[in-house]
Amino acid sequence: MTTTFLYGAHIQANGIRQHYLRYGGKLGARAERDAIIIIPGITSPAITWGFVGERLGQYFDTYILDVRGRGLSSANAELDYSLETQATDVIEFAKALGLRNYAIVGHSMGGRIGIRAARTQATGLTSLVMIDPPVSGPGRRAYPSQLAWYVDSMRYAREGCSVEQMRTFCPSWSQEQLQLRAEWLHTCDERAVIESFNGFHSDDIHQDLPHIKIPSLLIVAGRGNVLMPQDIEEICSLMPQVKVAHVQNAGHMIPWDDESGFYAAFGDFLGTRF
C-alpha cells in the first residue's frame, strides 16, 4: 500500500516544542475537507497512532500530536501538565500551523482535551470526536484503570523491556503493537502521566459539555468499562447535538481491537466515509 505519511516535525506553540506526524496533505479532495488533529491517550505517543493516520490521511490532511510530556514534545519538571494547558496547546498548535478549519479526534485523555478545547469555541475548530473519554471527576466513580499499571509499564520501558514483558500489560495486543509500545513508552514522562491521571478525578469535564456548540461524535467501546449507559445518557442530555456510535467488538483501545469497526463508527461525520 502506498503510504500517506509525509513527515514528522516540531513547531513552537503555546511556549513549548510540540512534535507531530503529518499524513495526507492538502492535495486533491483533501483540500476541500477540514484538517484533522488526532490527540492520543495518556501513554500513547503520536507514532502509536500512525496506522490510523495512514488511513485518515487517504481522505484528510491529518496531524497526530505528541501531547506535552509524551513522545518528542517538550517534557520537564517545570511544565504545567494540566488539562487546561493541554487544551490550549492544541488550539495554539492549530494556529501555529495556520489551519483554517479543523476537527479534533481525541482518544481517552485526548477526548477530554478535545472537550476542554471545544468549550472555548476556538476559531477554526469545526467538529469534535470523543473516543471513549474517561468520565470520572469530582464526586464521580473512579477511572477503571489503576495508576500503577501506567507507572510500572513505564518503568519497564525506561529500563529497556522486551515485547514479552510488555505483553503482561497488554495481553491482547498484536506483536507489532507491542513492539511499538515497548520502543516508545519510555518517552512518556512519569510526572505528566501522573498529573493527567489525577486530573481524570479532579477535572470536571461535564461542566464543559453544555458550552460545546459544534457538531460532536461520541464513539463508545462495546466491551469497555469506561463509559456506561448512564454516562452516555448524561452526555447526550448535556450536549443534545452529539451523535453516538458503538464499536461492539472493541475494548477501550478501540482501533487496536477492531480497526474496521472503528472507521465505520465515524460514518460520514467528518464529511466522507473512509
Side-chain angles (χ1 to χ4, degrees), residues 53-111:
E54 286 280 10
R55 179 64 174 265
L56 268 61
Q58 296 177 34
Y59 304 89
F60 308 96
D61 188 17
T62 303
Y63 302 80
I64 310 179
L65 183 64
D66 268 332
V67 177
R68 61 169 61 203
R70 285 87 174 169
L72 302 181
S73 288
S74 291
N76 60 61
E78 287 72 43
L79 277 189
D80 176 4
Y81 294 111
S82 67
L83 177 63
E84 191 75 28
T85 299
Q86 291 171 336
T88 304
D89 281 347
V90 180
I91 295 169
E92 294 302 315
F93 173 78
K95 288 181 182 178
L97 287 175
L99 301 181
R100 295 183 60 187
N101 294 299
Y102 63 96
I104 289 178
V105 175
H107 173 248
S108 193
M109 177 193 76

Side-chain angles (χ1 to χ4, degrees), residues 5 7 27-28 32 40 56 75 85 111 123 137-138 143-144 195 210 269:
F5 176 69
Y7 55 81
L27 295 178
E32 301 174 4
L56 268 61
T85 299
T123 301
Y143 182 59
E195 185 165 343
F269 179 77

Side-chain angles (χ1 to χ4, degrees), residues 40-176:
I42 188 168
T43 54
S44 295
I47 196 168
T48 63
W49 276 76
F51 68 106
V52 176
E54 286 280 10
R55 179 64 174 265
L56 268 61
Q58 296 177 34
Y59 304 89
F60 308 96
D61 188 17
T62 303
Y63 302 80
I64 310 179
L65 183 64
D66 268 332
V67 177
R68 61 169 61 203
R70 285 87 174 169
L72 302 181
S73 288
S74 291
N76 60 61
E78 287 72 43
L79 277 189
D80 176 4
Y81 294 111
S82 67
L83 177 63
E84 191 75 28
T85 299
Q86 291 171 336
T88 304
D89 281 347
V90 180
I91 295 169
E92 294 302 315
F93 173 78
K95 288 181 182 178
L97 287 175
L99 301 181
R100 295 183 60 187
N101 294 299
Y102 63 96
I104 289 178
V105 175
H107 173 248
S108 193
M109 177 193 76
R112 290 170 68 93
I113 294 172
I115 288 169
R116 183 57 55 90
R119 175 186 176 140
T120 69
Q121 301 181 23
T123 301
L125 176 54
T126 58
S127 58
L128 171 67
V129 180
M130 305 163 285
I131 306 165
D132 223 41
V135 290
S136 46
R140 296 177 178 272
R141 73 174 187 280
Y143 182 59
S145 294
Q146 299 298 311
L147 179 60
W149 185 91
Y150 300 105
V151 172
D152 291 347
S153 61
M154 286 188 293
R155 175 170 52 81
Y156 275 113
R158 287 195 302 272
E159 294 170 353
C161 71
S162 67
V163 169
E164 290 311 310
Q165 286 175 308
M166 192 55 64
R167 194 183 303 278
T168 64
F169 294 93
C170 309
S172 66
W173 288 26
S174 71
Q175 186 80 0
E176 182 180 5

Side-chain angles (χ1 to χ4, degrees), residues 180-229:
L180 203 58
R181 188 166 179 81
E183 179 185 2
W184 280 88
L185 184 59
H186 77 92
T187 68
C188 294
D189 187 282
E190 185 173 300
R191 293 160 297 200
V193 172
I194 290 174
E195 185 165 343
S196 291
F197 184 88
N198 290 338
F200 286 173
H201 304 91
S202 60
D203 294 317
D204 183 3
I205 61 164
H206 290 80
Q207 68 174 350
D208 298 330
L209 299 178
H211 300 277
I212 299 174
K213 305 303 180 183
I214 56 177
S216 302
L217 173 66
L218 177 67
I219 298 179
V220 181
R223 294 192 287 105
N225 57 357
V226 173
L227 286 167
M228 299 289 106

Side-chain angles (χ1 to χ4, degrees), residues 223 247-251 253-263:
R223 294 192 287 105
V247 185
Q248 297 296 351
N249 295 320
M253 302 299 286
I254 298 177
W256 280 256
D257 292 340
D258 184 359
E259 187 177 358
S260 61
F262 172 66
Y263 300 136

